Amino acid sequence: MNKTVEPSLLDPDSYAAGCPHARLAELRDAGALSWQPGAFDPNLSNPEVSGGWFVHRYDEVKSVLRDPATYSSRRGTAVLMDPRPASVEAMSNLLINMDPPAHSKYRRLVSAMFTPRRVEALRPRVEAIAKEVIDKIAGKGVADGIYDIAAPMPMRVIAELLGIPERGELLFEISNRMIGAVDVEPEVRAEMAMMGGAELHLLGQEMAREKRGADDGTLLAAFVNGTLEGVEGEQGGATDEEAGWFLLLMAVGGNETVRTATAQAIRTLAEWEDQRDLLVSDLDRYIPAAAEEILRFRPPIRNIRRTANTGGEIGGQPIAEGEKVVCNFTAATHDPQMFDNPEVFDITREQPKTQLAFGFGEHYCLGANLARMQLQVILREIYSRIPDIHPSGEIAHQPSPLICGLLSMPVAFTPER
């Protein structure tokens, strides 16, 4: 296979106007993989990003994610940038950057908090939060679709789940700074993200000290004490340092999926009015399927990285030891070998058993059940009260190879009376 000379998918400019679907389709049609050259990403604290193999097809993405022995999360981390060696060691404390057996050990500390039964028990509280969010804007007729609607609920849910509800506003403010404002330069956004991450890391260590020895049934207490279902870490749970990384992961990863999916749902359902009308016609029937189709059509995470531990082969392409391998979720969830008419948004679509928006295999998203439930709840609240909501001005896309996010999206709707 010849290495492509097309513009790199690692370049944030490739996403300035949204997802480059036509480009991805061309690459996917040409082969399971494409080589993407290195790029400069000013949104990162270490902006030089080396090239790597992008995996575009559904089956090949699954094959990479199910094989952590060959394709490592720890070596080089799961992010697209190239952390310095000292940073890799520190970042290996994040669950997403762990390989077996460490990943399984730390995941078990909190996995019981995310079972379907435990998540369903949270539904009444999530419904109450969603109602409060829409109550604030329903009578106005206009809002910021990101900061007024999509962003507030998931961070409050995460704060309550962690057992630090009083820090919800602080987490919300830091998270927003990390994602970045529309009107700042990329270099400033990178600095804001780095400083926000440091704040969350320190806050997590502080909260870990407060939660150590507490048996209050919260996520952070479980992580530092190892009390859930008799699971105990080597020190009775995670260290303060590890808890700092865990808070960072939850405040960004646990928040970003629902935040992005909610914003993209508003945008997508306005673009596909027939599907919005079908949804509104029977919310009970269509909400679950609509949430899944939103996650397929515009998955919140665009790409996740692995690094080859050994030489191998993907889709007939030899992969050398040490090479970067990037699973391209957007291309995979639009793979016509898996989905009929994948560029059509269809809330009646039969979905495959594996929803790649949450990853696959060892690193299947720990909070997938919670994310699904939150998305269903906020969609019900929006489309039962302000169903004609639609973008009313220019949408600012997050220029990121990692997140399919929106920086701003003014919306309008018929005010609730």
mmCIF file of all heavy atoms in Angstrom, residues 18 37 59 95 126 153 167 231 242 276 283 289 296 356:
data_model
loop_
_atom_site.group_PDB
_atom_site.id
_atom_site.type_symbol
_atom_site.label_atom_id
_atom_site.label_comp_id
_atom_site.label_asym_id
_atom_site.label_seq_id
_atom_site.Cartn_x
_atom_site.Cartn_y
_atom_site.Cartn_z
ATOM 1 N N GLY A 18 -16.040 20.913 10.662
ATOM 2 C CA GLY A 18 -16.765 19.705 11.024
ATOM 3 C C GLY A 18 -16.056 18.468 10.511
ATOM 4 O O GLY A 18 -14.911 18.519 10.053
ATOM 5 N N PRO A 37 0.360 11.550 7.530
ATOM 6 C CA PRO A 37 1.647 12.137 7.937
ATOM 7 C C PRO A 37 1.501 12.953 9.216
ATOM 8 O O PRO A 37 0.399 13.269 9.658
ATOM 9 C CB PRO A 37 2.012 13.023 6.749
ATOM 10 C CG PRO A 37 0.709 13.337 6.088
ATOM 11 C CD PRO A 37 -0.150 12.129 6.280
ATOM 12 N N ASP A 59 -14.705 -3.611 11.020
ATOM 13 C CA ASP A 59 -14.136 -4.878 11.494
ATOM 14 C C ASP A 59 -12.676 -4.731 11.898
ATOM 15 O O ASP A 59 -12.233 -5.325 12.893
ATOM 16 C CB ASP A 59 -14.261 -5.954 10.411
ATOM 17 C CG ASP A 59 -15.690 -6.466 10.256
ATOM 18 O OD1 ASP A 59 -16.504 -6.266 11.185
ATOM 19 O OD2 ASP A 59 -15.992 -7.052 9.195
ATOM 20 N N LEU A 95 -6.800 5.402 33.395
ATOM 21 C CA LEU A 95 -7.335 4.117 32.974
ATOM 22 C C LEU A 95 -7.234 3.915 31.469
ATOM 23 O O LEU A 95 -6.950 2.817 30.991
ATOM 24 C CB LEU A 95 -8.801 3.986 33.404
ATOM 25 C CG LEU A 95 -9.065 3.484 34.830
ATOM 26 C CD1 LEU A 95 -10.554 3.612 35.150
ATOM 27 C CD2 LEU A 95 -8.618 2.044 34.989
ATOM 28 N N VAL A 126 -31.035 12.058 37.639
ATOM 29 C CA VAL A 126 -30.636 12.620 36.343
ATOM 30 C C VAL A 126 -31.823 13.333 35.702
ATOM 31 O O VAL A 126 -31.670 14.422 35.124
ATOM 32 C CB VAL A 126 -30.091 11.513 35.424
ATOM 33 C CG1 VAL A 126 -29.804 12.058 34.030
ATOM 34 C CG2 VAL A 126 -28.812 10.912 36.017
ATOM 35 N N MET A 153 -25.673 19.411 32.532
ATOM 36 C CA MET A 153 -26.138 18.183 33.169
ATOM 37 C C MET A 153 -25.053 17.145 33.391
ATOM 38 O O MET A 153 -24.898 16.648 34.521
ATOM 39 C CB MET A 153 -27.288 17.570 32.374
ATOM 40 C CG MET A 153 -27.896 16.347 33.055
ATOM 41 S SD MET A 153 -29.030 15.415 32.008
ATOM 42 C CE MET A 153 -27.872 14.589 30.909
ATOM 43 N N ARG A 167 -18.669 20.495 44.462
ATOM 44 C CA ARG A 167 -17.623 20.922 43.531
ATOM 45 C C ARG A 167 -18.115 20.908 42.089
ATOM 46 O O ARG A 167 -17.319 21.101 41.172
ATOM 47 C CB ARG A 167 -16.403 19.996 43.651
ATOM 48 C CG ARG A 167 -15.834 19.862 45.055
ATOM 49 C CD ARG A 167 -15.257 21.156 45.564
ATOM 50 N NE ARG A 167 -14.684 21.036 46.879
ATOM 51 C CZ ARG A 167 -13.416 21.243 47.179
ATOM 52 N NH1 ARG A 167 -12.581 21.581 46.226
ATOM 53 N NH2 ARG A 167 -12.980 21.118 48.411
ATOM 54 N N VAL A 231 -13.594 -5.722 46.554
ATOM 55 C CA VAL A 231 -12.378 -5.514 45.761
ATOM 56 C C VAL A 231 -11.431 -4.613 46.533
ATOM 57 O O VAL A 231 -11.824 -3.552 47.023
ATOM 58 C CB VAL A 231 -12.715 -4.877 44.396
ATOM 59 C CG1 VAL A 231 -11.426 -4.585 43.619
ATOM 60 C CG2 VAL A 231 -13.620 -5.796 43.615
ATOM 61 N N GLU A 242 -3.090 8.667 41.936
ATOM 62 C CA GLU A 242 -3.941 7.966 40.974
ATOM 63 C C GLU A 242 -5.358 8.523 40.978
ATOM 64 O O GLU A 242 -6.016 8.603 39.937
ATOM 65 C CB GLU A 242 -3.941 6.468 41.289
ATOM 66 C CG GLU A 242 -2.604 5.799 41.000
ATOM 67 C CD GLU A 242 -2.470 4.445 41.666
ATOM 68 O OE1 GLU A 242 -3.242 4.153 42.610
ATOM 69 O OE2 GLU A 242 -1.584 3.672 41.248
ATOM 70 N N ARG A 276 -36.727 14.032 13.319
ATOM 71 C CA ARG A 276 -37.146 14.748 14.532
ATOM 72 C C ARG A 276 -38.648 14.610 14.738
ATOM 73 O O ARG A 276 -39.115 14.345 15.856
ATOM 74 C CB ARG A 276 -36.779 16.233 14.420
ATOM 75 C CG ARG A 276 -37.150 17.040 15.671
ATOM 76 C CD ARG A 276 -37.162 18.521 15.370
ATOM 77 N NE ARG A 276 -38.188 18.856 14.386
ATOM 78 C CZ ARG A 276 -38.265 20.018 13.753
ATOM 79 N NH1 ARG A 276 -37.352 20.955 13.968
ATOM 80 N NH2 ARG A 276 -39.228 20.245 12.883
ATOM 81 N N LEU A 283 -42.082 9.517 21.820
ATOM 82 C CA LEU A 283 -40.799 9.557 22.515
ATOM 83 C C LEU A 283 -40.475 8.225 23.190
ATOM 84 O O LEU A 283 -39.319 7.782 23.171
ATOM 85 C CB LEU A 283 -40.795 10.683 23.549
ATOM 86 C CG LEU A 283 -40.838 12.100 22.990
ATOM 87 C CD1 LEU A 283 -41.001 13.107 24.120
ATOM 88 C CD2 LEU A 283 -39.578 12.416 22.196
ATOM 89 N N ALA A 289 -33.556 4.258 20.464
ATOM 90 C CA ALA A 289 -32.954 4.069 19.140
ATOM 91 C C ALA A 289 -32.352 5.365 18.614
ATOM 92 O O ALA A 289 -31.312 5.350 17.947
ATOM 93 C CB ALA A 289 -33.993 3.535 18.166
ATOM 94 N N ARG A 296 -23.890 6.758 16.612
ATOM 95 C CA ARG A 296 -23.298 6.194 15.393
ATOM 96 C C ARG A 296 -22.996 7.278 14.371
ATOM 97 O O ARG A 296 -21.917 7.328 13.770
ATOM 98 C CB ARG A 296 -24.242 5.173 14.754
ATOM 99 C CG ARG A 296 -23.659 4.543 13.477
ATOM 100 C CD ARG A 296 -24.722 3.946 12.567
ATOM 101 N NE ARG A 296 -25.532 4.953 11.899
ATOM 102 C CZ ARG A 296 -25.202 5.569 10.767
ATOM 103 N NH1 ARG A 296 -24.048 5.334 10.172
ATOM 104 N NH2 ARG A 296 -26.007 6.465 10.216
ATOM 105 N N LEU A 356 -19.522 1.184 18.486
ATOM 106 C CA LEU A 356 -18.130 1.609 18.534
ATOM 107 C C LEU A 356 -17.938 2.999 19.111
ATOM 108 O O LEU A 356 -16.807 3.393 19.409
ATOM 109 C CB LEU A 356 -17.521 1.542 17.128
ATOM 110 C CG LEU A 356 -17.231 0.145 16.589
ATOM 111 C CD1 LEU A 356 -16.595 0.236 15.207
ATOM 112 C CD2 LEU A 356 -16.339 -0.653 17.535
#
